Amino acid sequence: MENMIVSSSPHIRDRDRTSHIMRDVCIALVPALIASVIYFGGRAVYITALCMIFSVGAEFLWQKLTGRPVTISDGTAAVTGMLLAFNLPVSAPWWICLIGSVVAIIIAKQFFGGVGHNFMNPALVGRAFLLASWPVIMTKWSAPFTTGFIIPADTVSSATPLAIMKGSLEGTLPGIFDMFIGNIGGCIGEVSSLALLLGGVYLVIRKVISVRIPLTYILTVAVLTFIFPSVGLSGFDSMMYNILSGGLFLGAIFMATDYVTSPITARGQLIMGLGCGILTFVIRRFGAYPEGVSYSILLMNVATPLIDRFTQPKAFGTVKEKKGGAQ
Amino acid sequence: MAKLTFSGGIHPLGKKSATKDKPLVTIEAPELLYFPLSQHIGAPLKPLVSVGDKVLKMQKIADTDAFMSAPLHSSVSGKVKDIGMYLNHTNSKVPTIVIENDGEYQDAEPIHTKSIDDLSPDEMRKIIREAGIVGMGGAGFPTHVKLSPPEDKQITHLIINGAECEPYLTSDRRVMLEMPDDVIGGIRCLMRLLNLSKCYVGIEDNAPEAISILQEKTKNTGIDICVLKKKYPQGSEKQIINAITGKEVPIGKLPMDVGCVVINIGTVAEIYRALAQGIPLHRRIVTVSGDAVRNPSNLYVPLGTPFNALVDACGGTKEETHKIIMGGPMMGIAGISLDIPVVKGTSGLLLFSEKYAHNEAEINCIRCGRCVSVCPMKLVPTTLDMYSRKGDTETLIKNNIMNCMECGSCTYVCPSKRYLVQSIRVGKQKINALRAKEAKN
Ligand code: SF4
Ligand code: SF4
């Protein structure tokens, strides 16, 4: 009887675990990946695989070199790689994937102490870095059905709907239905709102995310762009083009909901969605960039600790005339 | 009727099917019985017998003058073999009376002989104390203390707790099914004691047989059977009060501060036996379960019986035991030995094989927010965990750490397998130690 295991309660645990959650996120991203293969060809898979390998590899090497426990099995690096790829144009060269992964994993995540301690979404930091350093490569959108398999074909570049709306690029706006299913130019994972929505529904059903952030985010953008339409567009068209393009669904469903960098409380998540929505609208309408989703989310990431502090739940049994605090 | 509940909480696998339909089995007292003088919260007792004395079954063997305590009675007749240091349910060696069972079960005089209807409220309180009755749900708070609110506190709600929310445990359910008349008799006494015309009995919806038996028997009695949603920790005092009355017990206050008294269903049955028949608390129901037990059962056990005898009564083990849990798996204590005896608060004994015995290694918090959404006390466990590990007691107090009831829901759901309540406990202990030190200076 001597070898009894003595540990402090509770003695049972839920079976769900972080790696399962990350696996669910990857599964939820598959429809969008399939959509991008349809539009951009096998190269979409190649870029995604590269980013995942580089991200996981960067985490592994960094942890080995610094003598820390290797945590790649938690699946967070794989998700980061996948999300980074989804934010790249399909014509991106391999070294863009490498640099983006290294920045995302090592600078944005490991420098701050690894999973859970980073305060900005690693994939978005990677993307923002790449966009600032290689703007031409990063905005070379391929039109659907024009790319090669592994070697980028000399792609027919295409202007994104938002750039056209903003008047910074020439072109005709695609139809709303084409935008919904993803038959437009854009990053690998952002084009098909339909596929992203499918993934989002899966995540909500699996209770990985709640609808709070995505719904408030998309609704806020919808309402604002409806009330204040872009020049020359009806309120409805302006709303539809705005919510169906520029990676709003990808950002709202998969990036703004990143656990680590979004508020932990229900009320905080509503504020996150609202804030992202307002910022996206402001950047798109008044800023220099046509898109704005990434920067809005990054800004709200920075505000998250503050939001958490102010939305802390009221402890059970808190009395109105607070006297003397807890005992 | 709509099912009542509280906000937050978790849905662990019930695991009750192994024992929920098994009738009580009364087990024979073994040769040696151990009665630790610290059985529950409250002052430790002083022995009233000496080594070599002859004792009778149900004879009082230890007591104290302290109000916050309750006396102890022998569950067998026999001889006091030793008074020494033996293991109790907290895994520490404490002063313990060891009685050698003579197998004759000679009863002592009942603790009172008055007719139950002639007892005044004060007499009832005295008898309840004299019978050694404490909360049988696990915490073991002396029952007469709950029933003696200070003058300025009016009790308006009597709540009987039949919400056995811990997985595996089925002892309360068996009480309701097999001793419904004792339960109802006890409730009637308590209503009279507290001068109330109404009483609420909270039962989780996973015990429909118990609900219908009690509903049947309590028609037009002022006893209201409240069906609660099955959810952990529904049986926690503050949560059951909230579910039934909508009231929130303020931080740092007791149920009686909002006019409520919550009594466990098993305790009510004991109260009835003490008041109606003069029988003191000397045995209890223990659910013996877990994957290592051959024949999981609900046993009716004389207090002082070592766990070994319980396991034997269940046909022994079918797999090597790696973990012993006293109580339920959510809040129970892991025991170091099967020599530990059953005390008044032992609601369950679980034996786990290797498969269930280990807790996994934790990884970093991914801030998924699950711990926050399940915390029934509306705390932010991950933040408490962080500051607890840092030892920042000031911030911990600001974040209401002392409001944590250690239900373990946060640790249960954490996908990163973080030891949240465990680290919160350390933080609370630190604060208590600091406060004790301040109080001394
Ligand atoms: S449940 Fe675990 S991982 Fe999730 S926020 Fe709480 S501590 Fe962090
Ligand atoms: S913090 Fe305390 S009260 Fe809240 S879930 Fe964890 S153990 Fe329960």
PDB file of all heavy atoms in Angstrom, chain B residues 303-328:
ATOM      1  N   LEU B 303     -18.980   3.688  11.858  1.00  0.00           N
ATOM      2  CA  LEU B 303     -17.864   4.632  11.893  1.00  0.00           C
ATOM      3  C   LEU B 303     -16.660   3.938  12.513  1.00  0.00           C
ATOM      4  O   LEU B 303     -16.816   3.085  13.383  1.00  0.00           O
ATOM      5  CB  LEU B 303     -18.215   5.861  12.748  1.00  0.00           C
ATOM      6  CG  LEU B 303     -19.286   6.809  12.208  1.00  0.00           C
ATOM      7  CD1 LEU B 303     -19.393   8.022  13.124  1.00  0.00           C
ATOM      8  CD2 LEU B 303     -18.998   7.233  10.781  1.00  0.00           C
ATOM      9  N   GLY B 304     -15.501   4.294  12.083  1.00  0.00           N
ATOM     10  CA  GLY B 304     -14.282   3.726  12.648  1.00  0.00           C
ATOM     11  C   GLY B 304     -13.771   2.524  11.876  1.00  0.00           C
ATOM     12  O   GLY B 304     -12.678   2.036  12.142  1.00  0.00           O
ATOM     13  N   THR B 305     -14.554   2.045  10.895  1.00  0.00           N
ATOM     14  CA  THR B 305     -14.116   0.893  10.106  1.00  0.00           C
ATOM     15  C   THR B 305     -13.007   1.308   9.148  1.00  0.00           C
ATOM     16  O   THR B 305     -13.174   2.261   8.402  1.00  0.00           O
ATOM     17  CB  THR B 305     -15.294   0.332   9.279  1.00  0.00           C
ATOM     18  OG1 THR B 305     -16.387   0.092  10.147  1.00  0.00           O
ATOM     19  CG2 THR B 305     -14.904  -0.940   8.557  1.00  0.00           C
ATOM     20  N   PRO B 306     -11.870   0.620   9.159  1.00  0.00           N
ATOM     21  CA  PRO B 306     -10.813   0.971   8.211  1.00  0.00           C
ATOM     22  C   PRO B 306     -11.233   0.655   6.779  1.00  0.00           C
ATOM     23  O   PRO B 306     -12.020  -0.264   6.543  1.00  0.00           O
ATOM     24  CB  PRO B 306      -9.631   0.082   8.632  1.00  0.00           C
ATOM     25  CG  PRO B 306      -9.987  -0.482   9.957  1.00  0.00           C
ATOM     26  CD  PRO B 306     -11.466  -0.462  10.063  1.00  0.00           C
ATOM     27  N   PHE B 307     -10.715   1.432   5.835  1.00  0.00           N
ATOM     28  CA  PHE B 307     -11.089   1.278   4.422  1.00  0.00           C
ATOM     29  C   PHE B 307     -10.884  -0.143   3.912  1.00  0.00           C
ATOM     30  O   PHE B 307     -11.644  -0.633   3.077  1.00  0.00           O
ATOM     31  CB  PHE B 307     -10.270   2.237   3.554  1.00  0.00           C
ATOM     32  CG  PHE B 307     -10.597   3.691   3.801  1.00  0.00           C
ATOM     33  CD1 PHE B 307      -9.691   4.683   3.466  1.00  0.00           C
ATOM     34  CD2 PHE B 307     -11.808   4.063   4.361  1.00  0.00           C
ATOM     35  CE1 PHE B 307      -9.989   6.019   3.679  1.00  0.00           C
ATOM     36  CE2 PHE B 307     -12.119   5.400   4.586  1.00  0.00           C
ATOM     37  CZ  PHE B 307     -11.207   6.376   4.240  1.00  0.00           C
ATOM     38  N   ASN B 308      -9.847  -0.824   4.431  1.00  0.00           N
ATOM     39  CA  ASN B 308      -9.589  -2.204   4.016  1.00  0.00           C
ATOM     40  C   ASN B 308     -10.837  -3.076   4.073  1.00  0.00           C
ATOM     41  O   ASN B 308     -11.129  -3.839   3.153  1.00  0.00           O
ATOM     42  CB  ASN B 308      -8.559  -2.835   4.966  1.00  0.00           C
ATOM     43  CG  ASN B 308      -7.158  -2.546   4.497  1.00  0.00           C
ATOM     44  OD1 ASN B 308      -6.878  -2.684   3.314  1.00  0.00           O
ATOM     45  ND2 ASN B 308      -6.304  -2.120   5.405  1.00  0.00           N
ATOM     46  N   ALA B 309     -11.584  -2.911   5.166  1.00  0.00           N
ATOM     47  CA  ALA B 309     -12.770  -3.740   5.361  1.00  0.00           C
ATOM     48  C   ALA B 309     -13.834  -3.397   4.331  1.00  0.00           C
ATOM     49  O   ALA B 309     -14.610  -4.255   3.900  1.00  0.00           O
ATOM     50  CB  ALA B 309     -13.309  -3.542   6.777  1.00  0.00           C
ATOM     51  N   LEU B 310     -13.885  -2.127   3.916  1.00  0.00           N
ATOM     52  CA  LEU B 310     -14.862  -1.722   2.911  1.00  0.00           C
ATOM     53  C   LEU B 310     -14.527  -2.352   1.562  1.00  0.00           C
ATOM     54  O   LEU B 310     -15.397  -2.833   0.845  1.00  0.00           O
ATOM     55  CB  LEU B 310     -14.878  -0.193   2.759  1.00  0.00           C
ATOM     56  CG  LEU B 310     -15.736   0.619   3.731  1.00  0.00           C
ATOM     57  CD1 LEU B 310     -15.306   0.399   5.169  1.00  0.00           C
ATOM     58  CD2 LEU B 310     -15.714   2.088   3.376  1.00  0.00           C
ATOM     59  N   VAL B 311     -13.239  -2.314   1.258  1.00  0.00           N
ATOM     60  CA  VAL B 311     -12.808  -2.875  -0.020  1.00  0.00           C
ATOM     61  C   VAL B 311     -13.090  -4.381  -0.028  1.00  0.00           C
ATOM     62  O   VAL B 311     -13.599  -4.930  -1.006  1.00  0.00           O
ATOM     63  CB  VAL B 311     -11.309  -2.592  -0.254  1.00  0.00           C
ATOM     64  CG1 VAL B 311     -10.843  -3.229  -1.553  1.00  0.00           C
ATOM     65  CG2 VAL B 311     -11.052  -1.089  -0.276  1.00  0.00           C
ATOM     66  N   ASP B 312     -12.814  -5.053   1.104  1.00  0.00           N
ATOM     67  CA  ASP B 312     -13.104  -6.487   1.179  1.00  0.00           C
ATOM     68  C   ASP B 312     -14.581  -6.753   0.955  1.00  0.00           C
ATOM     69  O   ASP B 312     -14.963  -7.696   0.256  1.00  0.00           O
ATOM     70  CB  ASP B 312     -12.691  -7.048   2.549  1.00  0.00           C
ATOM     71  CG  ASP B 312     -11.176  -7.090   2.694  1.00  0.00           C
ATOM     72  OD1 ASP B 312     -10.495  -6.964   1.653  1.00  0.00           O
ATOM     73  OD2 ASP B 312     -10.693  -7.229   3.833  1.00  0.00           O
ATOM     74  N   ALA B 313     -15.416  -5.900   1.527  1.00  0.00           N
ATOM     75  CA  ALA B 313     -16.863  -6.089   1.382  1.00  0.00           C
ATOM     76  C   ALA B 313     -17.311  -5.908  -0.065  1.00  0.00           C
ATOM     77  O   ALA B 313     -18.401  -6.326  -0.444  1.00  0.00           O
ATOM     78  CB  ALA B 313     -17.608  -5.114   2.284  1.00  0.00           C
ATOM     79  N   CYS B 314     -16.471  -5.267  -0.854  1.00  0.00           N
ATOM     80  CA  CYS B 314     -16.807  -5.075  -2.278  1.00  0.00           C
ATOM     81  C   CYS B 314     -16.096  -6.093  -3.151  1.00  0.00           C
ATOM     82  O   CYS B 314     -15.885  -5.869  -4.353  1.00  0.00           O
ATOM     83  CB  CYS B 314     -16.432  -3.671  -2.727  1.00  0.00           C
ATOM     84  SG  CYS B 314     -17.370  -2.401  -1.908  1.00  0.00           S
ATOM     85  N   GLY B 315     -15.673  -7.187  -2.565  1.00  0.00           N
ATOM     86  CA  GLY B 315     -15.027  -8.243  -3.340  1.00  0.00           C
ATOM     87  C   GLY B 315     -13.580  -7.936  -3.657  1.00  0.00           C
ATOM     88  O   GLY B 315     -12.996  -8.529  -4.563  1.00  0.00           O
ATOM     89  N   GLY B 316     -13.002  -6.991  -2.970  1.00  0.00           N
ATOM     90  CA  GLY B 316     -11.593  -6.675  -3.187  1.00  0.00           C
ATOM     91  C   GLY B 316     -11.382  -5.868  -4.455  1.00  0.00           C
ATOM     92  O   GLY B 316     -12.330  -5.307  -5.015  1.00  0.00           O
ATOM     93  N   THR B 317     -10.135  -5.845  -4.897  1.00  0.00           N
ATOM     94  CA  THR B 317      -9.827  -5.052  -6.087  1.00  0.00           C
ATOM     95  C   THR B 317      -9.660  -5.972  -7.280  1.00  0.00           C
ATOM     96  O   THR B 317      -9.313  -7.144  -7.131  1.00  0.00           O
ATOM     97  CB  THR B 317      -8.523  -4.256  -5.882  1.00  0.00           C
ATOM     98  OG1 THR B 317      -7.510  -5.171  -5.479  1.00  0.00           O
ATOM     99  CG2 THR B 317      -8.692  -3.197  -4.827  1.00  0.00           C
ATOM    100  N   LYS B 318      -9.922  -5.438  -8.459  1.00  0.00           N
ATOM    101  CA  LYS B 318      -9.696  -6.256  -9.649  1.00  0.00           C
ATOM    102  C   LYS B 318      -8.482  -5.763 -10.409  1.00  0.00           C
ATOM    103  O   LYS B 318      -8.032  -6.385 -11.356  1.00  0.00           O
ATOM    104  CB  LYS B 318     -10.940  -6.277 -10.533  1.00  0.00           C
ATOM    105  CG  LYS B 318     -11.370  -4.930 -11.050  1.00  0.00           C
ATOM    106  CD  LYS B 318     -12.577  -5.093 -11.969  1.00  0.00           C
ATOM    107  CE  LYS B 318     -12.953  -3.729 -12.538  1.00  0.00           C
ATOM    108  NZ  LYS B 318     -14.308  -3.572 -12.884  1.00  0.00           N
ATOM    109  N   GLU B 319      -7.975  -4.600  -9.993  1.00  0.00           N
ATOM    110  CA  GLU B 319      -6.760  -4.096 -10.602  1.00  0.00           C
ATOM    111  C   GLU B 319      -5.926  -3.474  -9.501  1.00  0.00           C
ATOM    112  O   GLU B 319      -6.457  -3.114  -8.454  1.00  0.00           O
ATOM    113  CB  GLU B 319      -7.090  -3.033 -11.645  1.00  0.00           C
ATOM    114  CG  GLU B 319      -7.130  -3.591 -13.051  1.00  0.00           C
ATOM    115  CD  GLU B 319      -7.654  -2.572 -14.018  1.00  0.00           C
ATOM    116  OE1 GLU B 319      -8.875  -2.500 -14.204  1.00  0.00           O
ATOM    117  OE2 GLU B 319      -6.821  -1.843 -14.571  1.00  0.00           O
ATOM    118  N   GLU B 320      -4.656  -3.350  -9.741  1.00  0.00           N
ATOM    119  CA  GLU B 320      -3.807  -2.780  -8.715  1.00  0.00           C
ATOM    120  C   GLU B 320      -4.217  -1.327  -8.452  1.00  0.00           C
ATOM    121  O   GLU B 320      -4.413  -0.553  -9.384  1.00  0.00           O
ATOM    122  CB  GLU B 320      -2.346  -2.820  -9.170  1.00  0.00           C
ATOM    123  CG  GLU B 320      -1.394  -2.703  -7.997  1.00  0.00           C
ATOM    124  CD  GLU B 320       0.043  -2.590  -8.473  1.00  0.00           C
ATOM    125  OE1 GLU B 320       0.341  -3.124  -9.559  1.00  0.00           O
ATOM    126  OE2 GLU B 320       0.851  -1.977  -7.756  1.00  0.00           O
ATOM    127  N   THR B 321      -4.369  -0.993  -7.184  1.00  0.00           N
ATOM    128  CA  THR B 321      -4.794   0.353  -6.841  1.00  0.00           C
ATOM    129  C   THR B 321      -3.607   1.303  -6.842  1.00  0.00           C
ATOM    130  O   THR B 321      -2.576   1.014  -6.241  1.00  0.00           O
ATOM    131  CB  THR B 321      -5.421   0.362  -5.439  1.00  0.00           C
ATOM    132  OG1 THR B 321      -6.417  -0.637  -5.394  1.00  0.00           O
ATOM    133  CG2 THR B 321      -6.017   1.711  -5.115  1.00  0.00           C
ATOM    134  N   HIS B 322      -3.768   2.414  -7.539  1.00  0.00           N
ATOM    135  CA  HIS B 322      -2.706   3.416  -7.541  1.00  0.00           C
ATOM    136  C   HIS B 322      -3.113   4.705  -6.861  1.00  0.00           C
ATOM    137  O   HIS B 322      -2.290   5.538  -6.561  1.00  0.00           O
ATOM    138  CB  HIS B 322      -2.241   3.698  -8.973  1.00  0.00           C
ATOM    139  CG  HIS B 322      -1.380   2.615  -9.528  1.00  0.00           C
ATOM    140  ND1 HIS B 322      -0.028   2.746  -9.660  1.00  0.00           N
ATOM    141  CD2 HIS B 322      -1.688   1.355  -9.929  1.00  0.00           C
ATOM    142  CE1 HIS B 322       0.471   1.626 -10.145  1.00  0.00           C
ATOM    143  NE2 HIS B 322      -0.505   0.763 -10.316  1.00  0.00           N
ATOM    144  N   LYS B 323      -4.416   4.852  -6.665  1.00  0.00           N
ATOM    145  CA  LYS B 323      -4.853   6.066  -6.008  1.00  0.00           C
ATOM    146  C   LYS B 323      -6.103   5.779  -5.188  1.00  0.00           C
ATOM    147  O   LYS B 323      -7.012   5.081  -5.654  1.00  0.00           O
ATOM    148  CB  LYS B 323      -5.152   7.136  -7.051  1.00  0.00           C
ATOM    149  CG  LYS B 323      -5.255   8.536  -6.499  1.00  0.00           C
ATOM    150  CD  LYS B 323      -5.429   9.507  -7.647  1.00  0.00           C
ATOM    151  CE  LYS B 323      -4.921  10.883  -7.293  1.00  0.00           C
ATOM    152  NZ  LYS B 323      -5.003  11.785  -8.441  1.00  0.00           N
ATOM    153  N   ILE B 324      -6.123   6.322  -3.975  1.00  0.00           N
ATOM    154  CA  ILE B 324      -7.289   6.192  -3.104  1.00  0.00           C
ATOM    155  C   ILE B 324      -7.863   7.587  -2.956  1.00  0.00           C
ATOM    156  O   ILE B 324      -7.122   8.530  -2.663  1.00  0.00           O
ATOM    157  CB  ILE B 324      -6.868   5.720  -1.690  1.00  0.00           C
ATOM    158  CG1 ILE B 324      -6.109   4.398  -1.766  1.00  0.00           C
ATOM    159  CG2 ILE B 324      -8.057   5.636  -0.767  1.00  0.00           C
ATOM    160  CD1 ILE B 324      -5.451   4.030  -0.435  1.00  0.00           C
ATOM    161  N   ILE B 325      -9.159   7.724  -3.140  1.00  0.00           N
ATOM    162  CA  ILE B 325      -9.753   9.039  -2.927  1.00  0.00           C
ATOM    163  C   ILE B 325     -10.838   8.947  -1.875  1.00  0.00           C
ATOM    164  O   ILE B 325     -11.721   8.095  -1.943  1.00  0.00           O
ATOM    165  CB  ILE B 325     -10.328   9.624  -4.232  1.00  0.00           C
ATOM    166  CG1 ILE B 325      -9.189   9.845  -5.224  1.00  0.00           C
ATOM    167  CG2 ILE B 325     -11.042  10.939  -3.975  1.00  0.00           C
ATOM    168  CD1 ILE B 325      -9.665  10.017  -6.631  1.00  0.00           C
ATOM    169  N   MET B 326     -10.746   9.820  -0.890  1.00  0.00           N
ATOM    170  CA  MET B 326     -11.770   9.870   0.148  1.00  0.00           C
ATOM    171  C   MET B 326     -12.709  10.996  -0.222  1.00  0.00           C
ATOM    172  O   MET B 326     -12.305  12.156  -0.274  1.00  0.00           O
ATOM    173  CB  MET B 326     -11.106  10.134   1.491  1.00  0.00           C
ATOM    174  CG  MET B 326     -10.056   9.081   1.821  1.00  0.00           C
ATOM    175  SD  MET B 326      -9.165   9.450   3.340  1.00  0.00           S
ATOM    176  CE  MET B 326      -7.925  10.595   2.766  1.00  0.00           C
ATOM    177  N   GLY B 327     -13.947  10.654  -0.539  1.00  0.00           N
ATOM    178  CA  GLY B 327     -14.897  11.648  -1.021  1.00  0.00           C
ATOM    179  C   GLY B 327     -15.056  11.482  -2.516  1.00  0.00           C
ATOM    180  O   GLY B 327     -14.821  10.409  -3.052  1.00  0.00           O
ATOM    181  N   GLY B 328     -15.428  12.554  -3.180  1.00  0.00           N
ATOM    182  CA  GLY B 328     -15.617  12.478  -4.625  1.00  0.00           C
ATOM    183  C   GLY B 328     -14.355  12.849  -5.359  1.00  0.00           C
ATOM    184  O   GLY B 328     -13.400  13.359  -4.760  1.00  0.00           O
TER     185      GLY B 328
END
